[in-house]
Coordinates of all heavy atoms in Angstrom, one line a residue:
M26 N 160.8 -185.4 52.5 CA 161.7 -184.9 51.5 C 162.5 -183.7 52.0 O 162.0 -182.8 52.6 CB 160.8 -184.4 50.3 CG 161.4 -184.8 49.0 SD 160.5 -184.2 47.6 CE 159.3 -185.5 47.4
S27 N 163.8 -183.8 51.7 CA 164.7 -182.7 52.2 C 164.5 -181.5 51.4 O 164.0 -181.5 50.3 CB 166.1 -183.2 52.2 OG 166.5 -183.2 50.8
D28 N 164.8 -180.3 52.0 CA 164.7 -179.1 51.3 C 165.6 -179.1 50.1 O 165.2 -178.5 49.1 CB 165.1 -177.9 52.3 CG 164.0 -177.6 53.3 OD1 162.9 -178.2 53.2 OD2 164.3 -176.9 54.2
D29 N 166.7 -179.7 50.2 CA 167.7 -179.7 49.1 C 167.1 -180.5 47.9 O 167.1 -180.0 46.7 CB 169.0 -180.4 49.5 CG 170.0 -180.4 48.4 OD1 170.2 -179.3 47.8 OD2 170.5 -181.5 48.1
L30 N 166.4 -181.6 48.2 CA 165.8 -182.4 47.1 C 164.6 -181.6 46.5 O 164.5 -181.6 45.2 CB 165.3 -183.7 47.7 CG 164.7 -184.7 46.7 CD1 165.8 -185.0 45.6 CD2 164.3 -186.0 47.4
I31 N 163.8 -180.9 47.3 CA 162.7 -180.1 46.8 C 163.2 -179.0 45.9 O 162.7 -178.8 44.8 CB 161.9 -179.5 48.0 CG1 161.1 -180.6 48.7 CG2 160.9 -178.5 47.5 CD1 160.5 -180.2 50.0
E32 N 164.3 -178.4 46.3 CA 164.9 -177.3 45.5 C 165.4 -177.8 44.1 O 165.2 -177.2 43.1 CB 166.1 -176.7 46.3 CG 166.4 -175.3 45.8 CD 167.4 -174.6 46.8 OE1 167.0 -174.4 48.0 OE2 168.5 -174.3 46.3
R33 N 166.1 -179.0 44.2 CA 166.6 -179.6 42.9 C 165.4 -180.0 42.0 O 165.5 -179.9 40.8 CB 167.5 -180.8 43.2 CG 168.8 -180.4 43.8 CD 169.6 -181.5 44.3 NE 169.9 -182.6 43.4 CZ 170.3 -183.8 43.7 NH1 170.6 -184.1 44.9 NH2 170.6 -184.7 42.8
L34 N 164.4 -180.5 42.5 CA 163.2 -180.9 41.7 C 162.6 -179.7 41.1 O 162.2 -179.7 39.9 CB 162.2 -181.7 42.6 CG 162.5 -183.1 42.9 CD1 161.5 -183.7 43.9 CD2 162.6 -183.9 41.6
A35 N 162.5 -178.6 41.8 CA 161.9 -177.3 41.3 C 162.8 -176.8 40.2 O 162.3 -176.4 39.1 CB 161.9 -176.3 42.4
G36 N 164.1 -176.9 40.3 CA 165.0 -176.5 39.3 C 164.9 -177.4 38.0 O 164.9 -176.9 36.9
L37 N 164.7 -178.7 38.2 CA 164.5 -179.6 37.1 C 163.2 -179.2 36.4 O 163.1 -179.2 35.1 CB 164.4 -181.0 37.6 CG 164.5 -182.1 36.6 CD1 165.8 -182.0 35.8 CD2 164.4 -183.5 37.3
G38 N 162.1 -178.9 37.1 CA 160.9 -178.5 36.6 C 161.0 -177.3 35.7 O 160.5 -177.2 34.6
E39 N 161.8 -176.3 36.2 CA 162.0 -175.1 35.4 C 162.8 -175.4 34.1 O 162.5 -174.9 33.0 CB 162.8 -174.0 36.2 CG 162.0 -173.3 37.2 CD 162.8 -172.3 38.0 OE1 163.9 -171.9 37.6 OE2 162.3 -172.0 39.2
S40 N 163.8 -176.3 34.2 CA 164.5 -176.6 33.0 C 163.6 -177.3 32.0 O 163.7 -177.1 30.8 CB 165.7 -177.6 33.4 OG 166.6 -177.0 34.2
M41 N 162.7 -178.2 32.5 CA 161.8 -178.9 31.5 C 160.9 -177.9 30.8 O 160.6 -178.0 29.7 CB 161.0 -180.0 32.2 CG 161.9 -181.1 32.6 SD 161.1 -182.4 33.6 CE 160.1 -183.1 32.3
T42 N 160.4 -176.9 31.6 CA 159.6 -175.8 31.0 C 160.3 -175.1 29.9 O 159.8 -174.8 28.9 CB 159.1 -174.9 32.1 OG1 158.4 -175.6 33.1 CG2 158.2 -173.8 31.6
T43 N 161.6 -174.7 30.3 CA 162.4 -174.0 29.3 C 162.6 -174.8 28.0 O 162.5 -174.3 26.9 CB 163.8 -173.7 29.9 OG1 163.6 -172.9 31.1 CG2 164.6 -172.9 28.9
L44 N 162.9 -176.1 28.2 CA 163.0 -177.0 27.0 C 161.8 -177.1 26.2 O 161.8 -177.1 24.9 CB 163.4 -178.4 27.5 CG 164.9 -178.6 27.9 CD1 165.1 -180.0 28.5 CD2 165.9 -178.3 26.8
K45 N 160.6 -177.1 26.9 CA 159.3 -177.2 26.1 C 159.1 -175.9 25.3 O 158.7 -175.9 24.2 CB 158.2 -177.3 27.2 CG 156.8 -177.2 26.6 CD 156.3 -178.4 26.0 CE 154.8 -178.4 25.7 NZ 154.5 -177.4 24.6
L46 N 159.5 -174.7 25.9 CA 159.3 -173.4 25.2 C 160.3 -173.4 24.0 O 159.9 -172.9 22.9 CB 159.7 -172.3 26.2 CG 158.6 -172.0 27.2 CD1 159.2 -170.9 28.2 CD2 157.3 -171.5 26.6
I47 N 161.5 -173.9 24.2 CA 162.4 -173.9 23.0 C 161.9 -174.8 21.9 O 161.9 -174.5 20.7 CB 163.8 -174.4 23.5 CG1 164.5 -173.4 24.4 CG2 164.7 -174.8 22.3 CD1 165.7 -173.8 25.1
G48 N 161.3 -176.0 22.3 CA 160.7 -176.9 21.3 C 159.6 -176.2 20.5 O 159.5 -176.3 19.3
D49 N 158.7 -175.5 21.3 CA 157.6 -174.8 20.7 C 158.1 -173.7 19.7 O 157.6 -173.6 18.6 CB 156.7 -174.1 21.7 CG 155.9 -175.1 22.6 OD1 155.9 -176.3 22.2 OD2 155.4 -174.7 23.6
L50 N 159.1 -173.0 20.1 CA 159.7 -171.9 19.2 C 160.3 -172.6 18.0 O 160.1 -172.0 16.9 CB 160.8 -171.2 20.0 CG 160.4 -170.1 20.9 CD1 161.5 -169.5 21.7 CD2 159.7 -169.0 20.1
Q51 N 161.0 -173.7 18.1 CA 161.5 -174.4 16.9 C 160.4 -174.8 16.0 O 160.6 -174.6 14.8 CB 162.4 -175.6 17.4 CG 163.7 -175.2 17.9 CD 164.5 -176.4 18.4 OE1 163.9 -177.4 18.8 NE2 165.8 -176.3 18.4
D52 N 159.3 -175.3 16.5 CA 158.2 -175.7 15.7 C 157.6 -174.5 14.9 O 157.3 -174.6 13.7 CB 157.1 -176.3 16.5 CG 157.4 -177.7 17.1 OD1 158.4 -178.3 16.6 OD2 156.7 -178.2 18.0
R53 N 157.5 -173.4 15.6 CA 157.0 -172.1 15.0 C 157.9 -171.7 13.9 O 157.5 -171.2 12.8 CB 156.7 -171.0 16.0 CG 155.5 -171.3 16.8 CD 155.4 -170.4 18.0 NE 155.3 -169.0 17.6 CZ 155.3 -168.0 18.5 NH1 155.4 -168.3 19.8 NH2 155.3 -166.8 18.1
I54 N 159.2 -171.7 14.2 CA 160.2 -171.2 13.2 C 160.2 -172.1 11.9 O 160.2 -171.6 10.8 CB 161.6 -171.2 13.8 CG1 161.7 -170.1 14.8 CG2 162.7 -171.1 12.7 CD1 163.0 -170.1 15.7
E55 N 160.0 -173.4 12.1 CA 160.0 -174.4 11.0 C 158.7 -174.2 10.2 O 158.7 -174.2 8.9 CB 160.1 -175.8 11.5 CG 161.5 -176.2 11.8 CD 161.6 -177.6 12.6 OE1 160.6 -178.3 12.5 OE2 162.6 -177.8 13.2
A56 N 157.6 -173.9 10.9 CA 156.3 -173.6 10.1 C 156.5 -172.3 9.3 O 156.0 -172.3 8.1 CB 155.2 -173.5 11.1
Q57 N 157.1 -171.3 9.9 CA 157.3 -170.0 9.1 C 158.2 -170.2 8.0 O 158.0 -169.6 6.9 CB 157.8 -168.9 10.1 CG 156.7 -168.4 11.0 CD 157.2 -167.4 12.0 OE1 158.4 -167.3 12.2 NE2 156.3 -166.7 12.7
A58 N 159.2 -171.0 8.2 CA 160.2 -171.3 7.1 C 159.5 -172.0 5.9 O 159.7 -171.6 4.7 CB 161.4 -172.1 7.6
A59 N 158.6 -172.9 6.2 CA 157.9 -173.6 5.2 C 156.9 -172.7 4.4 O 156.8 -172.7 3.2 CB 157.1 -174.8 5.8
E60 N 156.3 -171.8 5.2 CA 155.4 -170.8 4.6 C 156.2 -169.8 3.7 O 155.8 -169.5 2.6 CB 154.8 -170.0 5.7 CG 153.5 -169.3 5.3 CD 152.8 -168.6 6.6 OE1 152.6 -169.4 7.5 OE2 152.6 -167.4 6.5
L61 N 157.4 -169.4 4.1 CA 158.2 -168.5 3.3 C 158.7 -169.2 2.0 O 158.7 -168.6 0.9 CB 159.4 -168.1 4.1 CG 159.2 -167.0 5.1 CD1 160.5 -166.7 5.9 CD2 158.7 -165.7 4.5
E62 N 158.9 -170.5 2.1 CA 159.3 -171.3 0.9 C 158.2 -171.3 -0.1 O 158.4 -171.2 -1.3 CB 159.8 -172.7 1.4 CG 160.6 -173.4 0.3 CD 161.1 -174.8 0.8 OE1 161.3 -174.9 2.0 OE2 161.2 -175.7 -0.1
D63 N 157.0 -171.5 0.4 CA 155.8 -171.5 -0.5 C 155.6 -170.2 -1.2 O 155.4 -170.1 -2.4 CB 154.5 -171.8 0.3 CG 154.4 -173.3 0.7 OD1 155.2 -174.1 0.1 OD2 153.5 -173.7 1.5
Q64 N 155.8 -169.1 -0.4 CA 155.6 -167.8 -0.9 C 156.7 -167.5 -2.0 O 156.5 -166.9 -3.0 CB 155.7 -166.7 0.2 CG 154.4 -166.7 1.1 CD 154.6 -165.8 2.3 OE1 155.7 -165.3 2.6 NE2 153.5 -165.5 2.9
S65 N 157.9 -168.0 -1.7 CA 159.0 -167.8 -2.6 C 158.7 -168.5 -4.0 O 159.0 -167.9 -5.0 CB 160.3 -168.4 -2.0 OG 161.3 -168.4 -2.9
K66 N 158.1 -169.7 -3.9 CA 157.8 -170.4 -5.1 C 156.7 -169.6 -5.9 O 156.8 -169.6 -7.1 CB 157.3 -171.8 -4.8 CG 158.4 -172.7 -4.4 CD 157.9 -174.1 -4.0 CE 159.1 -175.0 -3.5 NZ 158.6 -176.2 -2.8
Q67 N 155.7 -169.1 -5.2 CA 154.7 -168.3 -5.8 C 155.2 -167.1 -6.5 O 154.9 -166.8 -7.7 CB 153.6 -167.9 -4.8 CG 152.7 -169.0 -4.4 CD 151.7 -168.6 -3.3 OE1 151.5 -167.4 -3.2 NE2 151.1 -169.6 -2.6
I68 N 156.2 -166.4 -5.9 CA 156.8 -165.2 -6.4 C 157.6 -165.6 -7.7 O 157.5 -164.9 -8.7 CB 157.7 -164.5 -5.4 CG1 156.8 -163.8 -4.3 CG2 158.6 -163.4 -6.1 CD1 157.5 -163.3 -3.1
A69 N 158.3 -166.7 -7.6 CA 159.1 -167.1 -8.8 C 158.2 -167.4 -10.0 O 158.5 -167.1 -11.1 CB 159.9 -168.3 -8.4
S70 N 157.1 -168.0 -9.7 CA 156.1 -168.3 -10.7 C 155.5 -167.0 -11.3 O 155.4 -166.9 -12.6 CB 155.0 -169.2 -10.1 OG 153.9 -169.3 -11.0
Q71 N 155.2 -166.1 -10.5 CA 154.7 -164.8 -11.0 C 155.8 -164.0 -11.8 O 155.4 -163.4 -12.8 CB 154.2 -163.9 -9.8 CG 152.9 -164.5 -9.2 CD 152.6 -163.9 -7.8 OE1 153.4 -163.2 -7.2 NE2 151.4 -164.1 -7.4
M72 N 157.0 -164.2 -11.4 CA 158.1 -163.5 -12.1 C 158.2 -164.1 -13.5 O 158.4 -163.4 -14.5 CB 159.4 -163.7 -11.4 CG 159.6 -162.9 -10.1 SD 159.5 -161.1 -10.4 CE 161.1 -160.8 -11.0
N73 N 158.0 -165.4 -13.6 CA 158.0 -166.0 -14.9 C 156.9 -165.5 -15.8 O 157.2 -165.2 -17.0 CB 157.9 -167.5 -14.8 CG 159.2 -168.2 -14.4 OD1 160.3 -167.6 -14.6 ND2 159.1 -169.3 -13.8
V74 N 155.8 -165.3 -15.3 CA 154.7 -164.7 -16.1 C 155.0 -163.3 -16.5 O 154.8 -162.9 -17.7 CB 153.4 -164.7 -15.2 CG1 152.3 -163.9 -15.9 CG2 152.9 -166.1 -14.9
I75 N 155.6 -162.5 -15.6 CA 156.0 -161.1 -16.0 C 157.1 -161.1 -17.1 O 157.0 -160.3 -18.0 CB 156.6 -160.4 -14.7 CG1 155.4 -160.1 -13.8 CG2 157.3 -159.1 -15.1 CD1 155.8 -159.6 -12.4
Y76 N 158.1 -162.0 -17.0 CA 159.1 -162.1 -18.0 C 158.5 -162.5 -19.4 O 158.8 -161.9 -20.4 CB 160.2 -163.2 -17.7 CG 161.1 -162.8 -16.6 CD1 161.4 -163.7 -15.6 CD2 161.6 -161.5 -16.5 CE1 162.3 -163.3 -14.5 CE2 162.4 -161.1 -15.4 CZ 162.8 -162.0 -14.5 OH 163.6 -161.7 -13.4
D77 N 157.5 -163.4 -19.4 CA 156.8 -163.8 -20.6 C 156.1 -162.6 -21.2 O 156.1 -162.4 -22.4 CB 155.8 -164.9 -20.3 CG 156.5 -166.3 -20.1 OD1 157.8 -166.3 -20.3 OD2 155.9 -167.2 -19.6
I78 N 155.4 -161.9 -20.4 CA 154.6 -160.7 -20.9 C 155.6 -159.7 -21.4 O 155.3 -159.0 -22.4 CB 153.7 -160.1 -19.7 CG1 152.6 -161.1 -19.4 CG2 153.2 -158.8 -20.1 CD1 151.8 -160.7 -18.2
S79 N 156.7 -159.5 -20.7 CA 157.7 -158.5 -21.1 C 158.3 -158.8 -22.5 O 158.4 -158.0 -23.4 CB 158.8 -158.4 -20.1 OG 159.8 -157.5 -20.5
A80 N 158.5 -160.1 -22.7 CA 159.0 -160.6 -24.0 C 158.0 -160.3 -25.1 O 158.3 -159.9 -26.2 CB 159.4 -162.1 -23.9
E81 N 156.7 -160.6 -24.8 CA 155.6 -160.4 -25.7 C 155.5 -158.9 -26.1 O 155.4 -158.6 -27.3 CB 154.3 -160.9 -25.1 CG 153.1 -160.8 -25.9 CD 152.7 -162.1 -26.5 OE1 153.2 -163.1 -26.1 OE2 152.0 -162.1 -27.5
V82 N 155.6 -158.0 -25.1 CA 155.6 -156.6 -25.3 C 156.7 -156.2 -26.3 O 156.5 -155.4 -27.2 CB 155.6 -155.8 -24.0 CG1 155.9 -154.3 -24.2 CG2 154.3 -156.0 -23.2
Q83 N 157.9 -156.7 -26.0 CA 159.0 -156.3 -26.9 C 158.8 -156.8 -28.3 O 159.1 -156.0 -29.2 CB 160.3 -157.0 -26.3 CG 160.8 -156.3 -25.1 CD 162.2 -156.7 -24.7 OE1 162.9 -157.3 -25.5 NE2 162.7 -156.2 -23.6
N84 N 158.3 -158.0 -28.5 CA 158.0 -158.5 -29.8 C 157.0 -157.6 -30.5 O 157.1 -157.2 -31.7 CB 157.5 -159.9 -29.8 CG 158.6 -160.9 -29.5 OD1 159.7 -160.6 -29.7 ND2 158.2 -162.0 -28.9
L85 N 155.9 -157.2 -29.8 CA 154.9 -156.3 -30.4 C 155.4 -155.0 -30.7 O 155.1 -154.4 -31.8 CB 153.7 -156.2 -29.4 CG 152.9 -157.5 -29.2 CD1 151.9 -157.3 -28.0 CD2 152.1 -157.8 -30.5
R86 N 156.3 -154.4 -29.9 CA 156.9 -153.1 -30.2 C 157.8 -153.2 -31.5 O 157.8 -152.3 -32.3 CB 157.8 -152.6 -29.1 CG 156.9 -152.1 -27.9 CD 157.8 -151.7 -26.8 NE 157.0 -151.0 -25.7 CZ 157.4 -150.7 -24.5 NH1 158.7 -150.9 -24.2 NH2 156.6 -150.1 -23.7
E87 N 158.5 -154.3 -31.7 CA 159.3 -154.5 -32.9 C 158.4 -154.5 -34.1 O 158.7 -153.9 -35.1 CB 160.1 -155.8 -32.8 CG 161.2 -155.8 -31.7 CD 162.4 -155.0 -32.1 OE1 162.4 -154.3 -33.0 OE2 163.4 -155.2 -31.3
L88 N 157.3 -155.3 -34.0 CA 156.3 -155.3 -35.1 C 155.7 -154.0 -35.4 O 155.6 -153.6 -36.6 CB 155.2 -156.3 -34.8 CG 155.6 -157.8 -34.7 CD1 154.5 -158.7 -34.2 CD2 156.0 -158.3 -36.2
L89 N 155.4 -153.2 -34.3 CA 154.8 -151.9 -34.5 C 155.8 -150.9 -35.2 O 155.5 -150.2 -36.1 CB 154.4 -151.3 -33.1 CG 153.7 -150.0 -33.1 CD1 152.4 -150.1 -33.9 CD2 153.3 -149.7 -31.6
A90 N 157.1 -151.0 -34.8 CA 158.2 -150.2 -35.4 C 158.3 -150.5 -36.9 O 158.4 -149.6 -37.7 CB 159.5 -150.5 -34.7
A91 N 158.3 -151.8 -37.2 CA 158.3 -152.2 -38.6 C 157.2 -151.7 -39.4 O 157.3 -151.2 -40.5 CB 158.4 -153.8 -38.7
A92 N 156.0 -151.7 -38.8 CA 154.8 -151.1 -39.5 C 154.9 -149.6 -39.7 O 154.6 -149.1 -40.8 CB 153.5 -151.4 -38.6
Y93 N 155.4 -148.9 -38.7 CA 155.6 -147.4 -38.8 C 156.7 -147.1 -39.9 O 156.5 -146.2 -40.7 CB 156.0 -146.8 -37.5 CG 154.9 -146.5 -36.6 CD1 154.8 -146.9 -35.3 CD2 153.8 -145.7 -37.0 CE1 153.8 -146.6 -34.5 CE2 152.7 -145.4 -36.2 CZ 152.7 -145.9 -34.9 OH 151.7 -145.5 -34.1
I94 N 157.7 -147.9 -39.9 CA 158.8 -147.7 -41.0 C 158.2 -147.9 -42.3 O 158.4 -147.1 -43.3 CB 160.0 -148.7 -40.7 CG1 160.7 -148.2 -39.4 CG2 160.9 -148.7 -41.9 CD1 161.7 -149.2 -38.9
E95 N 157.4 -149.0 -42.5 CA 156.7 -149.3 -43.7 C 155.8 -148.1 -44.2 O 155.8 -147.7 -45.3 CB 155.9 -150.6 -43.6 CG 155.3 -151.1 -44.8 CD 156.2 -151.9 -45.7 OE1 157.2 -152.5 -45.2 OE2 156.0 -151.9 -46.9
L96 N 155.0 -147.6 -43.2 CA 154.1 -146.6 -43.5 C 154.8 -145.3 -43.9 O 154.2 -144.5 -44.7 CB 153.3 -146.2 -42.2 CG 152.1 -147.1 -41.9 CD1 151.5 -146.8 -40.6 CD2 151.0 -146.9 -43.0
S97 N 156.0 -145.0 -43.4 CA 156.7 -143.8 -43.7 C 157.1 -143.7 -45.1 O 157.3 -142.6 -45.7 CB 157.9 -143.6 -42.8 OG 158.9 -144.5 -43.2
G98 N 157.4 -144.9 -45.7 CA 157.8 -144.9 -47.1 C 159.3 -144.5 -47.3 O 159.7 -144.4 -48.4
K99 N 160.0 -144.3 -46.2 CA 161.4 -143.9 -46.3 C 162.3 -145.1 -46.2 O 161.9 -146.1 -45.6 CB 161.7 -142.9 -45.2 CG 161.0 -141.5 -45.3 CD 161.4 -140.6 -44.2 CE 160.7 -139.3 -44.3 NZ 161.0 -138.4 -43.2
D100 N 163.5 -144.9 -46.8 CA 164.4 -146.1 -46.8 C 165.2 -146.1 -45.5 O 165.5 -147.2 -44.9 CB 165.4 -145.9 -47.9 CG 164.8 -146.3 -49.3 OD1 163.8 -147.0 -49.3 OD2 165.3 -145.8 -50.3
G101 N 165.6 -144.9 -45.0 CA 166.3 -144.8 -43.7 C 165.7 -143.9 -42.7 O 164.9 -143.0 -43.1
H102 N 166.0 -144.2 -41.5 CA 165.5 -143.3 -40.4 C 166.6 -142.9 -39.4 O 167.5 -143.7 -39.2 CB 164.4 -144.1 -39.6 CG 163.2 -144.3 -40.5 ND1 162.2 -143.4 -40.5 CD2 162.9 -145.3 -41.3 CE1 161.2 -143.9 -41.4 NE2 161.7 -145.1 -41.8
A103 N 166.5 -141.7 -38.9 CA 167.5 -141.3 -37.9 C 167.4 -142.2 -36.6 O 166.3 -142.7 -36.4 CB 167.2 -139.8 -37.5
S104 N 168.5 -142.3 -35.9 CA 168.4 -143.1 -34.7 C 167.5 -142.6 -33.6 O 167.0 -143.3 -32.8 CB 169.8 -143.3 -34.1 OG 170.3 -142.0 -33.7
D105 N 167.2 -141.3 -33.7 CA 166.3 -140.7 -32.7 C 164.9 -140.6 -33.3 O 164.0 -139.9 -32.7 CB 166.8 -139.4 -32.2 CG 166.9 -138.3 -33.3 OD1 166.8 -138.7 -34.5 OD2 167.1 -137.1 -33.0
C106 N 164.6 -141.2 -34.4 CA 163.3 -141.2 -35.0 C 162.3 -142.0 -34.1 O 162.8 -143.0 -33.5 CB 163.3 -141.8 -36.4 SG 161.6 -142.0 -37.1
A107 N 161.1 -141.6 -34.0 CA 160.2 -142.3 -33.1 C 160.0 -143.8 -33.6 O 159.6 -144.6 -32.8 CB 158.8 -141.6 -33.1
T108 N 160.3 -144.0 -34.9 CA 160.1 -145.4 -35.4 C 161.2 -146.3 -34.8 O 161.1 -147.5 -34.8 CB 160.3 -145.5 -36.9 OG1 161.6 -145.0 -37.3 CG2 159.2 -144.7 -37.6
S109 N 162.3 -145.7 -34.2 CA 163.4 -146.4 -33.7 C 163.4 -146.7 -32.2 O 164.4 -147.0 -31.6 CB 164.7 -145.7 -34.1 OG 164.8 -145.4 -35.5
N110 N 162.2 -146.5 -31.6 CA 162.1 -146.6 -30.2 C 162.0 -148.0 -29.6 O 162.2 -148.3 -28.5 CB 160.9 -145.8 -29.7 CG 161.1 -144.3 -29.6 OD1 162.3 -143.9 -29.6 ND2 160.1 -143.6 -29.5
A111 N 161.7 -149.0 -30.5 CA 161.6 -150.4 -30.1 C 162.9 -151.0 -29.8 O 163.9 -150.6 -30.5 CB 160.8 -151.2 -31.1
P112 N 163.1 -152.0 -28.9 CA 162.0 -152.5 -28.1 C 161.9 -151.8 -26.7 O 161.0 -152.1 -26.0 CB 162.3 -153.9 -27.9 CG 163.8 -153.9 -27.9 CD 164.2 -152.8 -28.8
A113 N 162.8 -150.9 -26.5 CA 162.9 -150.2 -25.1 C 161.6 -149.4 -24.9 O 161.0 -149.4 -23.8 CB 164.1 -149.4 -25.0
M114 N 161.2 -148.7 -25.9 CA 160.0 -147.8 -25.7 C 159.0 -148.1 -26.9 O 159.3 -148.8 -27.8 CB 160.4 -146.3 -25.8 CG 161.2 -145.9 -24.6 SD 161.7 -144.2 -24.6 CE 163.0 -144.2 -25.8
T115 N 157.8 -147.6 -26.7 CA 156.8 -147.7 -27.8 C 157.2 -146.9 -29.0 O 157.4 -145.7 -28.8 CB 155.4 -147.3 -27.2 OG1 155.2 -148.0 -26.0 CG2 154.3 -147.7 -28.2
P116 N 157.3 -147.5 -30.1 CA 157.6 -146.7 -31.3 C 156.5 -145.9 -31.8 O 155.3 -146.1 -31.4 CB 158.0 -147.8 -32.4 CG 157.3 -149.0 -31.9 CD 157.2 -148.9 -30.4
G117 N 156.8 -144.8 -32.6 CA 155.7 -144.0 -33.1 C 155.9 -143.7 -34.6 O 156.8 -144.2 -35.2
R118 N 155.1 -142.7 -35.1 CA 155.2 -142.3 -36.5 C 156.5 -141.7 -36.8 O 157.1 -141.1 -35.9 CB 154.1 -141.4 -36.9 CG 152.7 -142.0 -36.9 CD 151.7 -141.0 -37.4 NE 150.3 -141.6 -37.4 CZ 149.9 -142.5 -38.3 NH1 150.7 -142.8 -39.4 NH2 148.7 -143.0 -38.3
C119 N 157.0 -141.8 -38.0 CA 158.3 -141.2 -38.4 C 158.3 -139.7 -38.1 O 157.4 -139.0 -38.5 CB 158.6 -141.5 -39.9 SG 160.1 -140.7 -40.4
D120 N 159.3 -139.3 -37.4 CA 159.5 -137.8 -37.1 C 160.9 -137.4 -37.5 O 161.4 -136.5 -36.9 CB 159.1 -137.5 -35.7 CG 160.0 -138.2 -34.7 OD1 160.8 -139.1 -35.1 OD2 159.9 -138.0 -33.5
C121 N 161.4 -138.0 -38.6 CA 162.7 -137.6 -39.1 C 162.5 -136.1 -39.7 O 161.5 -135.9 -40.3 CB 163.2 -138.5 -40.2 SG 163.7 -140.1 -39.6
D122 N 163.5 -135.3 -39.5 CA 163.4 -134.0 -40.0 C 163.8 -134.0 -41.5 O 164.5 -134.8 -42.0 CB 164.4 -133.0 -39.3 CG 163.9 -132.8 -37.9 OD1 162.6 -132.7 -37.7 OD2 164.7 -132.7 -36.9
Ligands
ZN206 ZN1 162.0 -141.6 -39.4

């Protein structure tokens, strides 16, 4: 075998090794992408649970505000009265001056 042929075969061997490494990297990247997609779906599902709980909390605050207004016996309340905190904050007993 000529030196030239040996050199060319060695070069071809290196190229094949490089191609194998690239293929391995592509496989790892695809596996990680699939894993990220699964995690993304789990997060979306958890976000839906959080939105549902948040909506429930808002409804409960509205009910609590209505109960505090009823308890106060007053017809009207100031906008800064604790009864008017729903749904952003937890309402409280009437503190109109
Ligand atoms: Zn009030």
Side-chain angles (χ1 to χ4, degrees):
M26 217 182 277
S27 72
D28 286 350
D29 182 50
L30 186 57
I31 290 171
E32 201 171 299
R33 284 169 60 193
L34 285 173
L37 192 59
E39 280 177 25
S40 296
M41 290 177 72
T42 301
T43 302
L44 285 175
K45 170 81 170 69
L46 288 174
I47 290 171
D49 290 349
L50 279 173
Q51 282 177 333
D52 289 347
R53 285 169 59 187
I54 289 169
E55 281 169 19
Q57 286 176 346
E60 201 172 305
L61 284 173
E62 196 175 329
D63 284 348
Q64 289 174 348
S65 172
K66 285 176 186 168
Q67 285 177 18
I68 289 170
S70 168
Q71 290 166 346
M72 289 296 286
N73 282 334
V74 171
I75 289 169
Y76 288 138
D77 288 348
I78 291 171
S79 180
E81 182 102 16
V82 166
Q83 288 195 7
N84 287 336
L85 290 171
R86 284 177 173 174
E87 295 282 12
L88 290 170
L89 187 58
Y93 275 127
I94 288 168
E95 184 83 27
L96 277 172
S97 74
K99 293 181 182 175
D100 289 336
H102 294 270
S104 61
D105 62 348
C106 173
T108 60
S109 306
N110 282 342
M114 293 182 282
T115 307
R118 291 184 181 283
C119 176
D120 58 355
C121 290
D122 292 325

